[in-house]
Amino acid sequence: MDSLTLFCTGALLAGGIYWFVCILGPAERKGKRAVDLSGGSISAEKVQDSYDKYWSFFRRPKEIETAEKVPDFVDTFYNLVTDIYEWGWGQSFHFSPHIPGKSHKDATRLHEEMAVDLIDVKPGDRILDVGCGVGGPMRAIAAHSRANVTGITINEYQVKRARLHNKKAGLDSLCEVVCGNFLEMPFPDNSFDGAYSIEATCHAPKLEEVYAEIFRVLKPGALYVSYEWVTTDKYKGEDAEHVEVIQGIERGDALPGLRSYTDIAETARKVGFEVVKEKDLAKPPAQPWWSRLKMGRIAYWRNHVLVTVLAAVGIAPKGTVDVHEMLFKTADFLTRGGETGIFSPMHMILCRKPDTPKSS
């Protein structure tokens, strides 16, 4: 091979690596680069062990159903996936209906803004983001409403990422992030003017427990809206394929167990809420929320090659490839859940805390 051919081959290879990492590597909202992938608060040498630990929960399913075990279970999951989510998806860890003519980024923002519009808050009001992740929705909602948003997440690494993004966006004066368990929130009774949760309370072992905590910290008369992950009326427990899809979603998303859509309003009323509105935002005429997953298959393979290479040369922690592969398989289950109509990640419920407590 002559020197010119060797030079061209090297230049092509270098250009390809640059294209992978610097051009295609960053997430949609430019928050994380492929070369910076980590295990969150988990040290690099323990990522593989933590991945194995995560899967061990499913060998002891009864433990996932107890409130004591779930925080560790969910915290482990988000240490493993937060960087990959940011890199490959963006700073908002949720779905939104596809809107023709709009980018994924704009569709996501509109879905978030709708949540705060529903709870009817004013500039300066104090509102709660229950399960805030790295704060993508928080920032969109604060910018849109000018309300003061306090987010809570179980994961310390997400707290650090959210605070960093809040400062970069110039919204740190409106956005506060707290590390804590949303089943035992460190806030006084009657302290928030409104609250929302976007695809977050699905991690609670019992929905009643997190709804009761949200009810407690809201002021009388305040509104709460949630986008819930549910099985729909099309789900049949006796259908083996349906069961396979739902279990695949649960295992790949750190869920103690998906709930039926019929459980949501019943649980809200049980803790004292008045149900103002309930609607599955995934139903027609809404456009498929899973279209982004299907369109992302080429990006997945591109990213998987990159993650494999980075792990092989020691830049990405050992175990990152397994985590990335798990998320791809989960994306397939989510797509199948959407296409068959047996699963929705956006069953919306709008609730009000009564002005006066109900007499017992």
Side-chain angles (χ1 to χ4, degrees):
M1 183 180 290
D2 59 37
S3 57
L4 179 60
T5 303
L6 194 62
F7 173 79
C8 291
T9 302
L12 186 63
L13 181 61
I17 293 172
Y18 176 81
W19 182 69
F20 263 129
V21 177
C22 300
I23 306 301
L24 292 178
E28 181 181 33
R29 298 176 78 170
K30 310 299 181 186
K32 175 64 65 173
R33 297 184 307 155
V35 293
D36 296 326
L37 293 178
S38 74
S41 299
I42 301 169
S43 60
E45 65 272 12
K46 293 184 178 179
V47 169
Q48 184 68 61
D49 288 343
S50 295
Y51 172 79
D52 295 338
K53 177 184 175 184
Y54 173 76
W55 278 104
S56 75
F57 279 102
F58 293 103
R59 291 192 287 272
R60 305 187 302 275
K62 290 297 179 186
E63 291 190 8
I64 305 174
E65 298 171 8
T66 63
E68 309 85 63
K69 297 290 183 180
V70 167
D72 185 37
F73 171 62
V74 175
D75 187 41
T76 297
F77 175 76
Y78 278 112
N79 273 321
L80 292 171
V81 306
T82 290
D83 276 358
I84 293 177
Y85 274 2
E86 272 203 67
W87 173 54
W89 190 262
Q91 295 169 22
S92 294
F93 298 173
H94 65 81
F95 298 105
S96 60
H98 172 67
I99 302 176
K102 297 284 186 182
S103 67
H104 296 309
K105 181 178 178 180
D106 286 341
T108 297
R109 176 181 53 78
L110 291 169
H111 196 55
E112 294 162 349
E113 290 176 354
M114 182 175 67
V116 73
D117 289 343
L118 284 167
I119 60 175
D120 194 27
V121 296
K122 305 181 297 295
D125 280 354
R126 187 180 184 219
I127 62 176
L128 177 65
D129 182 330
V130 184
C132 65
V134 298
M138 170 192 298
R139 287 182 288 280
I141 282 169
H144 176 67
S145 68
R146 307 311 295 178
N148 295 293
V149 187
T150 297
I152 185 168
T153 171
I154 193 72
N155 186 262
E156 181 64 44
Y157 181 67
Q158 290 189 337
V159 172
K160 294 176 182 177
R161 294 294 298 168
R163 288 173 177 167
L164 175 67
H165 290 313
N166 292 345
K167 189 171 183 178
K168 283 184 176 179
L171 291 167
D172 47 326
S173 62
L174 291 176
C175 298
E176 177 187 1
V177 191
V178 174
C179 187
N181 183 351
F182 60 29
L183 301 177
E184 299 174 343
M185 291 192 280
F187 308 122
D189 295 357
N190 309 317
S191 54
F192 289 96
D193 299 298
Y196 64 88
S197 53
I198 299 179
E199 302 182 28
T201 57
C202 50
H203 292 299
K206 295 180 181 177
L207 189 61
E208 181 180 346
E209 293 178 351
V210 64
Y211 275 13
E213 268 294 271
I214 295 166
F215 185 89
R216 178 184 68 79
V217 302
L218 282 177
K219 294 177 181 178
L223 292 165
Y224 163 61
V225 66
S226 184
Y227 298 163
E228 294 287 348
W229 281 31
V230 297
T231 56
T232 71
D233 56 351
K234 293 183 178 180
Y235 173 72
K236 306 300 178 188
E238 65 277 10
D239 187 312
E241 183 180 357
H242 287 192
V243 172
E244 178 193 20
V245 168
I246 296 304
Q247 287 184 347
I249 292 171
E250 292 169 348
R251 291 174 180 172
D253 285 295
L255 306 182
L258 272 169
R259 302 175 180 95
S260 168
Y261 75 103
T262 59
D263 297 334
I264 308 305
E266 178 184 346
T267 303
R269 293 188 181 100
K270 188 174 181 180
V271 305
F273 279 119
E274 298 170 351
V275 176
V276 177
K277 187 176 183 181
E278 185 177 18
K279 180 181 181 182
D280 187 349
L281 300 177
K283 287 187 174 181
Q287 297 294 307
W289 56 266
W290 61 92
S291 61
R292 185 178 177 191
L293 290 173
K294 295 186 74 172
M295 289 188 293
R297 288 181 184 275
I298 294 176
Y300 161 77
W301 288 112
R302 177 204 75 204
N303 290 353
H304 198 65
V305 169
L306 180 57
V307 168
T308 302
V309 171
L310 293 176
V313 299
I315 295 176
K318 183 181 178 182
T320 306
V321 176
D322 288 336
V323 176
H324 193 260
E325 185 174 1
M326 174 189 75
L327 295 179
F328 175 68
K329 290 178 179 177
T330 305
D332 183 59
F333 285 122
L334 287 162
T335 300
R336 289 165 62 187
E339 288 178 334
T340 57
I342 65 173
F343 165 74
S344 172
M346 53 192 71
H347 185 90
M348 185 276 291
I349 185 166
L350 178 64
C351 308
R352 176 183 287 111
K353 182 173 179 177
D355 290 306
T356 55
K358 294 179 180 179
S359 57
S360 52

PDB file of all heavy atoms in Angstrom, residues 87-110:
ATOM      1  N   TRP A  87     -27.449  11.502  25.877  1.00  0.00           N
ATOM      2  CA  TRP A  87     -26.688  11.452  24.634  1.00  0.00           C
ATOM      3  C   TRP A  87     -27.568  11.076  23.446  1.00  0.00           C
ATOM      4  O   TRP A  87     -27.524  11.706  22.388  1.00  0.00           O
ATOM      5  CB  TRP A  87     -25.549  10.437  24.801  1.00  0.00           C
ATOM      6  CG  TRP A  87     -24.780  10.159  23.556  1.00  0.00           C
ATOM      7  CD1 TRP A  87     -24.173  11.059  22.737  1.00  0.00           C
ATOM      8  CD2 TRP A  87     -24.522   8.868  22.990  1.00  0.00           C
ATOM      9  NE1 TRP A  87     -23.546  10.409  21.687  1.00  0.00           N
ATOM     10  CE2 TRP A  87     -23.748   9.063  21.827  1.00  0.00           C
ATOM     11  CE3 TRP A  87     -24.862   7.567  23.360  1.00  0.00           C
ATOM     12  CZ2 TRP A  87     -23.315   8.010  21.022  1.00  0.00           C
ATOM     13  CZ3 TRP A  87     -24.420   6.522  22.573  1.00  0.00           C
ATOM     14  CH2 TRP A  87     -23.658   6.735  21.426  1.00  0.00           C
ATOM     15  N   GLY A  88     -28.398  10.055  23.621  1.00  0.00           N
ATOM     16  CA  GLY A  88     -29.149   9.535  22.489  1.00  0.00           C
ATOM     17  C   GLY A  88     -30.568  10.048  22.345  1.00  0.00           C
ATOM     18  O   GLY A  88     -31.182   9.883  21.292  1.00  0.00           O
ATOM     19  N   TRP A  89     -31.105  10.707  23.391  1.00  0.00           N
ATOM     20  CA  TRP A  89     -32.518  11.122  23.360  1.00  0.00           C
ATOM     21  C   TRP A  89     -32.681  12.607  23.621  1.00  0.00           C
ATOM     22  O   TRP A  89     -33.435  13.295  22.949  1.00  0.00           O
ATOM     23  CB  TRP A  89     -33.307  10.304  24.386  1.00  0.00           C
ATOM     24  CG  TRP A  89     -34.788  10.446  24.306  1.00  0.00           C
ATOM     25  CD1 TRP A  89     -35.586  11.271  25.075  1.00  0.00           C
ATOM     26  CD2 TRP A  89     -35.682   9.772  23.412  1.00  0.00           C
ATOM     27  NE1 TRP A  89     -36.908  11.130  24.717  1.00  0.00           N
ATOM     28  CE2 TRP A  89     -36.992  10.219  23.696  1.00  0.00           C
ATOM     29  CE3 TRP A  89     -35.491   8.827  22.414  1.00  0.00           C
ATOM     30  CZ2 TRP A  89     -38.111   9.741  23.018  1.00  0.00           C
ATOM     31  CZ3 TRP A  89     -36.602   8.356  21.726  1.00  0.00           C
ATOM     32  CH2 TRP A  89     -37.895   8.813  22.028  1.00  0.00           C
ATOM     33  N   GLY A  90     -31.988  13.127  24.623  1.00  0.00           N
ATOM     34  CA  GLY A  90     -32.137  14.529  25.000  1.00  0.00           C
ATOM     35  C   GLY A  90     -32.315  14.671  26.495  1.00  0.00           C
ATOM     36  O   GLY A  90     -32.169  13.711  27.253  1.00  0.00           O
ATOM     37  N   GLN A  91     -32.648  15.846  26.947  1.00  0.00           N
ATOM     38  CA  GLN A  91     -32.745  16.129  28.375  1.00  0.00           C
ATOM     39  C   GLN A  91     -34.148  15.891  28.948  1.00  0.00           C
ATOM     40  O   GLN A  91     -34.336  16.004  30.170  1.00  0.00           O
ATOM     41  CB  GLN A  91     -32.305  17.572  28.648  1.00  0.00           C
ATOM     42  CG  GLN A  91     -30.837  17.811  28.333  1.00  0.00           C
ATOM     43  CD  GLN A  91     -30.459  19.266  28.343  1.00  0.00           C
ATOM     44  OE1 GLN A  91     -31.138  20.095  28.956  1.00  0.00           O
ATOM     45  NE2 GLN A  91     -29.364  19.613  27.664  1.00  0.00           N
ATOM     46  N   SER A  92     -35.096  15.578  28.114  1.00  0.00           N
ATOM     47  CA  SER A  92     -36.459  15.271  28.566  1.00  0.00           C
ATOM     48  C   SER A  92     -36.695  13.774  28.394  1.00  0.00           C
ATOM     49  O   SER A  92     -36.869  13.290  27.276  1.00  0.00           O
ATOM     50  CB  SER A  92     -37.494  16.066  27.756  1.00  0.00           C
ATOM     51  OG  SER A  92     -37.361  17.454  28.016  1.00  0.00           O
ATOM     52  N   PHE A  93     -36.719  13.051  29.506  1.00  0.00           N
ATOM     53  CA  PHE A  93     -36.791  11.592  29.449  1.00  0.00           C
ATOM     54  C   PHE A  93     -38.246  11.123  29.369  1.00  0.00           C
ATOM     55  O   PHE A  93     -38.762  10.463  30.279  1.00  0.00           O
ATOM     56  CB  PHE A  93     -36.126  10.979  30.691  1.00  0.00           C
ATOM     57  CG  PHE A  93     -34.663  11.287  30.847  1.00  0.00           C
ATOM     58  CD1 PHE A  93     -33.991  10.912  31.995  1.00  0.00           C
ATOM     59  CD2 PHE A  93     -33.932  11.939  29.857  1.00  0.00           C
ATOM     60  CE1 PHE A  93     -32.639  11.173  32.166  1.00  0.00           C
ATOM     61  CE2 PHE A  93     -32.581  12.215  30.011  1.00  0.00           C
ATOM     62  CZ  PHE A  93     -31.934  11.833  31.177  1.00  0.00           C
ATOM     63  N   HIS A  94     -38.906  11.493  28.290  1.00  0.00           N
ATOM     64  CA  HIS A  94     -40.302  11.076  28.126  1.00  0.00           C
ATOM     65  C   HIS A  94     -40.678  11.111  26.647  1.00  0.00           C
ATOM     66  O   HIS A  94     -39.908  11.584  25.802  1.00  0.00           O
ATOM     67  CB  HIS A  94     -41.242  11.958  28.948  1.00  0.00           C
ATOM     68  CG  HIS A  94     -41.267  13.403  28.496  1.00  0.00           C
ATOM     69  ND1 HIS A  94     -42.017  13.839  27.431  1.00  0.00           N
ATOM     70  CD2 HIS A  94     -40.628  14.500  28.967  1.00  0.00           C
ATOM     71  CE1 HIS A  94     -41.850  15.137  27.264  1.00  0.00           C
ATOM     72  NE2 HIS A  94     -41.000  15.576  28.178  1.00  0.00           N
ATOM     73  N   PHE A  95     -41.878  10.639  26.353  1.00  0.00           N
ATOM     74  CA  PHE A  95     -42.393  10.637  24.986  1.00  0.00           C
ATOM     75  C   PHE A  95     -43.361  11.799  24.791  1.00  0.00           C
ATOM     76  O   PHE A  95     -43.786  12.455  25.749  1.00  0.00           O
ATOM     77  CB  PHE A  95     -43.119   9.322  24.695  1.00  0.00           C
ATOM     78  CG  PHE A  95     -42.219   8.119  24.781  1.00  0.00           C
ATOM     79  CD1 PHE A  95     -42.285   7.254  25.867  1.00  0.00           C
ATOM     80  CD2 PHE A  95     -41.299   7.850  23.781  1.00  0.00           C
ATOM     81  CE1 PHE A  95     -41.453   6.148  25.955  1.00  0.00           C
ATOM     82  CE2 PHE A  95     -40.457   6.752  23.853  1.00  0.00           C
ATOM     83  CZ  PHE A  95     -40.536   5.897  24.949  1.00  0.00           C
ATOM     84  N   SER A  96     -43.707  12.037  23.541  1.00  0.00           N
ATOM     85  CA  SER A  96     -44.735  13.015  23.199  1.00  0.00           C
ATOM     86  C   SER A  96     -45.333  12.612  21.862  1.00  0.00           C
ATOM     87  O   SER A  96     -44.671  11.946  21.055  1.00  0.00           O
ATOM     88  CB  SER A  96     -44.142  14.427  23.107  1.00  0.00           C
ATOM     89  OG  SER A  96     -43.130  14.478  22.117  1.00  0.00           O
ATOM     90  N   PRO A  97     -46.592  12.980  21.613  1.00  0.00           N
ATOM     91  CA  PRO A  97     -47.180  12.652  20.309  1.00  0.00           C
ATOM     92  C   PRO A  97     -46.410  13.328  19.178  1.00  0.00           C
ATOM     93  O   PRO A  97     -45.932  14.455  19.325  1.00  0.00           O
ATOM     94  CB  PRO A  97     -48.607  13.214  20.412  1.00  0.00           C
ATOM     95  CG  PRO A  97     -48.869  13.344  21.874  1.00  0.00           C
ATOM     96  CD  PRO A  97     -47.547  13.660  22.502  1.00  0.00           C
ATOM     97  N   HIS A  98     -46.279  12.619  18.075  1.00  0.00           N
ATOM     98  CA  HIS A  98     -45.650  13.209  16.895  1.00  0.00           C
ATOM     99  C   HIS A  98     -46.557  14.312  16.359  1.00  0.00           C
ATOM    100  O   HIS A  98     -47.780  14.156  16.277  1.00  0.00           O
ATOM    101  CB  HIS A  98     -45.444  12.132  15.824  1.00  0.00           C
ATOM    102  CG  HIS A  98     -44.990  12.666  14.508  1.00  0.00           C
ATOM    103  ND1 HIS A  98     -43.745  13.242  14.324  1.00  0.00           N
ATOM    104  CD2 HIS A  98     -45.627  12.731  13.305  1.00  0.00           C
ATOM    105  CE1 HIS A  98     -43.634  13.636  13.068  1.00  0.00           C
ATOM    106  NE2 HIS A  98     -44.752  13.341  12.423  1.00  0.00           N
ATOM    107  N   ILE A  99     -45.963  15.458  16.005  1.00  0.00           N
ATOM    108  CA  ILE A  99     -46.728  16.575  15.441  1.00  0.00           C
ATOM    109  C   ILE A  99     -46.176  16.864  14.046  1.00  0.00           C
ATOM    110  O   ILE A  99     -45.019  17.299  13.909  1.00  0.00           O
ATOM    111  CB  ILE A  99     -46.627  17.839  16.316  1.00  0.00           C
ATOM    112  CG1 ILE A  99     -47.124  17.551  17.737  1.00  0.00           C
ATOM    113  CG2 ILE A  99     -47.430  18.980  15.690  1.00  0.00           C
ATOM    114  CD1 ILE A  99     -46.966  18.733  18.684  1.00  0.00           C
ATOM    115  N   PRO A 100     -46.961  16.602  13.000  1.00  0.00           N
ATOM    116  CA  PRO A 100     -46.485  16.852  11.635  1.00  0.00           C
ATOM    117  C   PRO A 100     -45.983  18.282  11.474  1.00  0.00           C
ATOM    118  O   PRO A 100     -46.625  19.238  11.923  1.00  0.00           O
ATOM    119  CB  PRO A 100     -47.728  16.602  10.770  1.00  0.00           C
ATOM    120  CG  PRO A 100     -48.544  15.640  11.574  1.00  0.00           C
ATOM    121  CD  PRO A 100     -48.332  16.045  13.009  1.00  0.00           C
ATOM    122  N   GLY A 101     -44.821  18.419  10.876  1.00  0.00           N
ATOM    123  CA  GLY A 101     -44.256  19.741  10.659  1.00  0.00           C
ATOM    124  C   GLY A 101     -43.445  20.283  11.818  1.00  0.00           C
ATOM    125  O   GLY A 101     -42.833  21.350  11.709  1.00  0.00           O
ATOM    126  N   LYS A 102     -43.453  19.561  12.942  1.00  0.00           N
ATOM    127  CA  LYS A 102     -42.700  19.992  14.116  1.00  0.00           C
ATOM    128  C   LYS A 102     -41.548  19.025  14.375  1.00  0.00           C
ATOM    129  O   LYS A 102     -41.662  17.824  14.130  1.00  0.00           O
ATOM    130  CB  LYS A 102     -43.592  20.026  15.367  1.00  0.00           C
ATOM    131  CG  LYS A 102     -44.751  21.012  15.301  1.00  0.00           C
ATOM    132  CD  LYS A 102     -44.264  22.441  15.501  1.00  0.00           C
ATOM    133  CE  LYS A 102     -45.439  23.407  15.586  1.00  0.00           C
ATOM    134  NZ  LYS A 102     -44.974  24.814  15.731  1.00  0.00           N
ATOM    135  N   SER A 103     -40.449  19.537  14.899  1.00  0.00           N
ATOM    136  CA  SER A 103     -39.329  18.685  15.276  1.00  0.00           C
ATOM    137  C   SER A 103     -39.679  17.923  16.550  1.00  0.00           C
ATOM    138  O   SER A 103     -40.629  18.261  17.265  1.00  0.00           O
ATOM    139  CB  SER A 103     -38.081  19.537  15.516  1.00  0.00           C
ATOM    140  OG  SER A 103     -38.267  20.359  16.669  1.00  0.00           O
ATOM    141  N   HIS A 104     -38.897  16.875  16.838  1.00  0.00           N
ATOM    142  CA  HIS A 104     -39.090  16.159  18.095  1.00  0.00           C
ATOM    143  C   HIS A 104     -38.921  17.110  19.277  1.00  0.00           C
ATOM    144  O   HIS A 104     -39.658  17.029  20.266  1.00  0.00           O
ATOM    145  CB  HIS A 104     -38.088  15.014  18.222  1.00  0.00           C
ATOM    146  CG  HIS A 104     -38.256  13.948  17.184  1.00  0.00           C
ATOM    147  ND1 HIS A 104     -39.472  13.348  16.929  1.00  0.00           N
ATOM    148  CD2 HIS A 104     -37.353  13.367  16.353  1.00  0.00           C
ATOM    149  CE1 HIS A 104     -39.313  12.446  15.977  1.00  0.00           C
ATOM    150  NE2 HIS A 104     -38.057  12.431  15.604  1.00  0.00           N
ATOM    151  N   LYS A 105     -37.965  18.003  19.155  1.00  0.00           N
ATOM    152  CA  LYS A 105     -37.693  18.962  20.229  1.00  0.00           C
ATOM    153  C   LYS A 105     -38.904  19.849  20.490  1.00  0.00           C
ATOM    154  O   LYS A 105     -39.305  20.060  21.638  1.00  0.00           O
ATOM    155  CB  LYS A 105     -36.479  19.820  19.842  1.00  0.00           C
ATOM    156  CG  LYS A 105     -36.067  20.843  20.875  1.00  0.00           C
ATOM    157  CD  LYS A 105     -34.828  21.588  20.406  1.00  0.00           C
ATOM    158  CE  LYS A 105     -34.400  22.662  21.396  1.00  0.00           C
ATOM    159  NZ  LYS A 105     -33.197  23.399  20.941  1.00  0.00           N
ATOM    160  N   ASP A 106     -39.538  20.345  19.422  1.00  0.00           N
ATOM    161  CA  ASP A 106     -40.707  21.211  19.582  1.00  0.00           C
ATOM    162  C   ASP A 106     -41.915  20.429  20.100  1.00  0.00           C
ATOM    163  O   ASP A 106     -42.676  20.934  20.942  1.00  0.00           O
ATOM    164  CB  ASP A 106     -41.056  21.893  18.261  1.00  0.00           C
ATOM    165  CG  ASP A 106     -40.089  23.013  17.899  1.00  0.00           C
ATOM    166  OD1 ASP A 106     -39.386  23.505  18.808  1.00  0.00           O
ATOM    167  OD2 ASP A 106     -40.015  23.382  16.714  1.00  0.00           O
ATOM    168  N   ALA A 107     -42.094  19.207  19.601  1.00  0.00           N
ATOM    169  CA  ALA A 107     -43.215  18.382  20.068  1.00  0.00           C
ATOM    170  C   ALA A 107     -43.071  18.075  21.553  1.00  0.00           C
ATOM    171  O   ALA A 107     -44.058  18.096  22.313  1.00  0.00           O
ATOM    172  CB  ALA A 107     -43.282  17.086  19.266  1.00  0.00           C
ATOM    173  N   THR A 108     -41.854  17.814  21.978  1.00  0.00           N
ATOM    174  CA  THR A 108     -41.583  17.550  23.390  1.00  0.00           C
ATOM    175  C   THR A 108     -41.901  18.775  24.231  1.00  0.00           C
ATOM    176  O   THR A 108     -42.567  18.686  25.279  1.00  0.00           O
ATOM    177  CB  THR A 108     -40.106  17.153  23.578  1.00  0.00           C
ATOM    178  OG1 THR A 108     -39.860  15.937  22.874  1.00  0.00           O
ATOM    179  CG2 THR A 108     -39.771  16.964  25.044  1.00  0.00           C
ATOM    180  N   ARG A 109     -41.446  19.938  23.789  1.00  0.00           N
ATOM    181  CA  ARG A 109     -41.680  21.179  24.532  1.00  0.00           C
ATOM    182  C   ARG A 109     -43.174  21.478  24.654  1.00  0.00           C
ATOM    183  O   ARG A 109     -43.665  21.844  25.740  1.00  0.00           O
ATOM    184  CB  ARG A 109     -40.951  22.338  23.842  1.00  0.00           C
ATOM    185  CG  ARG A 109     -41.217  23.697  24.487  1.00  0.00           C
ATOM    186  CD  ARG A 109     -40.485  24.802  23.728  1.00  0.00           C
ATOM    187  NE  ARG A 109     -40.774  24.797  22.296  1.00  0.00           N
ATOM    188  CZ  ARG A 109     -41.873  25.275  21.748  1.00  0.00           C
ATOM    189  NH1 ARG A 109     -42.845  25.799  22.503  1.00  0.00           N
ATOM    190  NH2 ARG A 109     -42.039  25.244  20.432  1.00  0.00           N
ATOM    191  N   LEU A 110     -43.923  21.305  23.583  1.00  0.00           N
ATOM    192  CA  LEU A 110     -45.368  21.579  23.623  1.00  0.00           C
ATOM    193  C   LEU A 110     -46.090  20.626  24.572  1.00  0.00           C
ATOM    194  O   LEU A 110     -47.038  21.016  25.261  1.00  0.00           O
ATOM    195  CB  LEU A 110     -45.953  21.467  22.213  1.00  0.00           C
ATOM    196  CG  LEU A 110     -45.507  22.567  21.232  1.00  0.00           C
ATOM    197  CD1 LEU A 110     -45.931  22.217  19.812  1.00  0.00           C
ATOM    198  CD2 LEU A 110     -46.089  23.915  21.648  1.00  0.00           C
TER     199      LEU A 110
END
